[in-house]
Amino acid sequence: MLNAKITGTGSYLPEKIVTNKDFESIIDTTDEWIYARTGIKQRHVIAKHETTSSMAEMAANQALEAAGVNASDIDLIIIGTSSPDRVFPSTACILQQKLGVGDCAAFDVQAACSGFIYALGIAHQFIKSGGATKALVIGAEANSRILDYTDRSTCVIFGDGAGAVVVEASDEQGIMSTHMHSDGQYQDLLYINNPIKDQQQDGDKAHMTMHGNDVYKVAVKTLSRIVDETLEANGMKKSDIDWLIPHQANIRIISSVAKKLGMPMEKVVLTIENQGNTSAASVPLALDLAVRDGRIKKGDTILMEAFGGGFVWGSALVRM
Ligand code: COA
């Protein structure tokens, strides 16, 4: 069995920033409410000419450069996204064309906010089994295109962006384990309607619906369980983890997972204040931030985790 190692990271955030204050003139809300309940101060929003694949391209190019890998050497592209450019072809195929990558496998993974963790888990399996040697794994979301800006409980939460990693077959230990779960009984608590099929029920425009409080309760319990599962699978103790990179859904959910790990908040990579919840992009965006600012160093052990609509949840234990 081969090891799969993250050898480069990259990210992209659109230029336009929308602050909580900006929302005060659009909906019945306040900066204080949003910040106190979520930990969010601002989020990035894509411009008209941008798309999920164009953000993925920017992040991918940075990750390729960091890894010292040519796009032409990539033999697998997986994008976690719930806001694809088109229903099909996949955003991964569109990116493949943009990068000028040859005839490798390219597909999207639809696992809501856990999309990047799922994509990483799949790339891990491909590489371990010898099915790929150099993979591009991306989380990219244009959430602003699918938000209902009259629904104050969702539109203030989400932001846009993309994060990417290059995962390569390696002799060194890298991705130690990945864990993926789902439970479809919760499908109505957090979803985006499909305008192709759901027109009668939900109107003709895709938009997100979230029963935040119910989601919150399940997320806290579930993420605690996955932390235990991941440590147990690797025979590790809480104190063996150098960094926690959580999905950035809510600062209170993140704090409770950190507490469970006995981890001080300085060891948790946070982007939520400046980026909001970027769904599948949040984990790779946070990873790239902490790699580039020098906090995460070679040899560090990182626990990544995410939770989202489905419900789907997952984790990855990674040695950098
Ligand atoms: N500004 C002001 N008030 C708001 C508001 C806003 N932006 N959004 C909702 N409210 C109101 C609600 O209408 C409700 O008012 P009511 O009591 O008069 O009905 C009140 O605030 C409380 O709503 P509630 O939904 O119970 O708030 P909350 O404390 O649960 O916070 C979330 C809402 C969305 C921030 C929180 O539930 C959350 O983060 N949930 C988890 C999200 C998540 O993890 N998603 C999964 C991954 S994407």
Side-chain angles (χ1 to χ4, degrees):
M1 285 278 186
L2 295 160
N3 290 312
K5 193 165 178 72
I6 293 176
T7 56
T9 66
S11 60
Y12 175 76
L13 288 165
E15 206 177 313
K16 184 178 171 190
I17 288 172
V18 175
T19 64
N20 291 351
K21 283 271 174 216
D22 294 331
F23 273 111
E24 289 181 359
S25 58
I26 312 171
I27 46 168
D28 181 13
T29 193
T30 60
D31 174 33
E32 292 73 25
W33 190 96
I34 300 169
Y35 188 62
R37 299 286 180 119
T38 66
I40 300 168
K41 277 272 180 204
Q42 61 169 53
R43 70 288 291 145
H44 292 252
V45 173
I46 55 170
K48 271 208 172 93
H49 65 276
E50 292 182 302
T51 57
T52 299
S53 66
S54 73
M55 293 191 292
E57 183 185 9
M58 303 292 273
N61 279 325
Q62 269 196 3
L64 288 166
E65 195 184 331
V69 168
N70 291 324
S72 55
D73 293 330
I74 290 296
D75 55 10
L76 175 66
I77 302 175
I78 314 177
I79 300 187
T81 186
S82 302
S83 46
D85 289 12
R86 292 174 162 168
V87 172
F88 75 80
S90 68
T91 307
C93 282
I94 298 169
L95 175 68
Q96 184 183 33
Q97 187 262 332
K98 287 184 175 181
L99 293 175
V101 176
D103 64 353
C104 70
F107 56 92
D108 291 355
V109 171
Q110 210 288 61
C113 296
S114 301
F116 174 78
I117 297 286
Y118 265 58
L120 190 67
I122 295 165
H124 182 210
Q125 301 303 330
F126 260 88
I127 289 178
K128 272 201 318 187
S129 64
T133 56
K134 289 183 197 304
L136 251 179
V137 181
I138 297 169
E141 300 283 11
N143 282 316
S144 62
R145 300 255 159 93
I146 38 146
L147 288 172
D148 172 358
Y149 281 95
T150 63
D151 175 6
R152 64 179 181 172
S153 63
T154 52
C155 70
V156 300
I157 311 269
F158 294 91
D160 302 333
V165 297
V166 172
V167 184
E168 292 184 70
S170 170
D171 295 332
E172 285 177 42
Q173 191 179 38
I175 298 171
M176 298 160 80
S177 68
T178 51
H179 305 260
M180 293 176 244
H181 296 279
S182 58
D183 189 341
Q185 70 170 307
Y186 296 106
Q187 59 175 293
D188 291 332
L189 293 183
L190 177 53
Y191 66 93
I192 298 170
N193 63 301
N194 180 354
I196 297 170
K197 187 169 175 295
D198 285 354
Q199 279 188 24
Q200 308 304 324
Q201 271 174 270
D202 297 304
D204 58 4
K205 199 170 173 297
H207 64 274
M208 191 181 305
T209 301
M210 177 166 78
H211 299 274
N213 206 277
D214 297 322
V215 176
Y216 183 96
K217 288 177 201 150
V218 185
V220 169
K221 272 195 223 141
T222 308
L223 289 171
S224 287
R225 278 208 312 271
I226 202 146
V227 163
D228 287 337
E229 176 187 326
T230 313
L231 291 173
E232 219 174 284
N234 291 280
M236 291 179 91
K237 305 185 293 296
K238 294 172 184 173
S239 56
D240 294 327
I241 308 296
D242 295 310
W243 296 98
L244 174 65
I245 303 194
H247 169 47
Q248 315 276 323
N250 184 308
I251 190 68
R252 293 179 290 146
I253 298 177
I254 296 172
S255 306
S256 76
V257 176
K259 200 168 159 199
K260 161 99 190 163
L261 273 168
M263 211 160 200
M265 288 306 275
E266 305 83 72
K267 288 288 178 185
V268 182
V269 182
L270 295 173
T271 56
I272 188 162
E273 187 167 328
N274 294 324
Q275 298 175 12
N277 180 344
T278 55
S279 306
S282 85
V283 168
L285 274 163
L287 173 65
D288 184 55
L289 177 76
V291 166
R292 282 175 193 273
D293 70 20
R295 272 179 287 173
I296 291 180
K297 300 197 167 45
K298 195 168 163 50
D300 282 356
T301 302
I302 300 169
L303 176 60
M304 306 180 200
E305 44 86 345
F307 181 91
F311 290 145
V312 284
W313 62 100
S315 65
L317 193 73
V318 172
R319 178 131 320 136
M320 291 300 285

